[in-house]
Amino acid sequence: MLESWNDGSTKSEILAFVERVVQEVAPAERVAVFDNDGTLWCEKPAYIQLDFLVRRLAEKARANPSLASQQPYLAASTADLAWFGHAITSHYQGDDTALKTLAAAVMSLHELMTVEAHAALVTAFFAEATHPTLSRPYRDCVYTPMVDLLRYLEAHDFTCYIVSGGARDFMRPITGTIYGIPPERVVGSAQGLNFSGQDGHGNLLIQPTLDVFDDGPEKPVRIWSRIGRRPILSAGNSNGDDEMLMYSGLPGGPSLRLVVLHDDPDREFAYTAGAERLLDHADRFGWTTVSMKNDWACVFDE
C-alpha cells in the first residue's frame, strides 16, 4: 500500500482521505485528476514534449535553411534548450512573448498530417529518446510513487484522468503503457482537426490552429466539458494547475489537493520557478505539499 511513499504525514493524509471517500462517496463520483509534466513525469531540464518538438523544428530547419536564423528554429538547430525553458517559465510568470513565437512555429509542424501518422511519430520518439541528464529513456522518467498512487486509487474505485497543458495527442500514444491510463481519459491542449473523406474512407487531419490551450483557468472548464464531474482529488506542480486544484471538491465534502514540490536535486531536480502562486495557495489554504525528497522512498523505478 503506497510502498514507494515514506511513512509520514503526507502518506497518512492520502490514506485517511481514501478511507473517508470509501465511506462517503459513491464510486461514480470518485474522480481524480492529475497534471502530467512535473507531476507524473519529469519536466526538467526541458519538457519531454519539448524535446520531441525541438527535434521536429530542427528537421524543418534542415529542410528549409532560410528558417535557421529565426526563433524557435535557431534555438532548435543549436540545441539551445534554455530559450525554450525560458519561454515556458515566463508563461507561468505572466509573460507570453516567447511562447507565442514558439506556438506559431509548432502549429505548422504537423499541418495536414493524419492523427495516426502523428501518433506513429510520437511512438517512435519514445522508443529511442533518452533524457539528456538522467541518462534513462523518457518512458522510464515516470515518478514511481505517483504511478503507485494511481493504482491505489483505482483499487478503491477512483477513475483517474490526466489533465495537462501538454498536447493531448502527444500524451495519448504513451499514457496507457506508462501510467495505465487509456487515451479517452487524457485531457490536454490540442490543435484543430478537420475531417477529409473520399471513396467511403476518411481521415482526421491536423490543422495549423490551436483548438484549446488546457492550462490555468481552462483546466476546470475542460474537466467539466470532458468529464462532467467535479474531481475530489487533484494533483499538480505549477501555477498552471492552481485553478484545477481550486476546483476540486465542494466545501464540507472530502477533497484532497496534492502539490508536488521539486526539492530533490540528488535524485531529480530542485526548483520552484513557475509554481510560486500554487505554493502560496498550498500554504494559505492547507493543501497537501508532497516533498519529493522527504515523502518518496524512490523517484523512478530502478
Side-chain angles (χ1 to χ4, degrees), residues 83-160:
W83 185 90
F84 294 97
H86 171 74
I88 303 299
T89 299
S90 295
H91 159 69
Y92 286 124
Q93 295 174 333
D95 180 2
D96 281 345
T97 305
L99 186 65
K100 289 179 180 178
T101 300
L102 175 59
V106 168
M107 289 298 101
S108 66
L109 266 180
H110 305 111
E111 184 175 357
L112 300 183
M113 182 178 290
T114 68
V115 291
E116 290 85 3
H118 180 270
L121 285 177
V122 173
T123 300
F125 169 79
F126 276 102
E128 63 180 28
T130 300
H131 190 282
T133 62
L134 296 175
S135 299
R136 57 192 303 125
Y138 277 134
R139 61 182 177 272
D140 294 336
C141 290
V142 173
Y143 301 140
T144 299
M146 296 304 285
V147 176
D148 285 352
L149 178 58
L150 291 172
R151 299 291 85 78
Y152 176 68
L153 293 172
E154 290 167 359
H156 290 82
D157 296 321
F158 277 77
T159 304
C160 299

Side-chain angles (χ1 to χ4, degrees), residues 14 18 31 41 76 102 105 137 149 152 166 197 234 246 251 279 287 294 302:
I14 295 172
V18 172
V31 171
W41 73 19
L102 175 59
L149 178 58
Y152 176 68
S234 57
M246 291 185 194
L279 291 170
W287 299 348
N294 298 321
E302 299 300 331

Side-chain angles (χ1 to χ4, degrees), residues 258-272:
L258 300 176
V259 177
V260 177
L261 177 63
H262 293 264
D263 60 352
D264 195 337
D266 295 326
R267 298 185 299 177
E268 204 240 13
F269 301 95
Y271 60 94
T272 57

Side-chain angles (χ1 to χ4, degrees), residues 238-257:
S238 76
N239 293 340
D241 304 316
D242 193 30
E243 289 84 356
M244 180 173 75
L245 270 65
M246 291 185 194
Y247 186 58
S248 295
L250 288 168
S255 63
L256 183 65
R257 301 164 173 90

Side-chain angles (χ1 to χ4, degrees), residues 14-27 29-30 152-158 232 254:
I14 295 172
L15 298 178
F17 167 75
V18 172
E19 182 178 351
R20 178 186 177 188
V21 165
V22 169
Q23 299 297 319
E24 299 181 10
V25 180
E29 298 175 3
R30 298 176 196 173
Y152 176 68
L153 293 172
E154 290 167 359
H156 290 82
D157 296 321
F158 277 77
I232 60 172

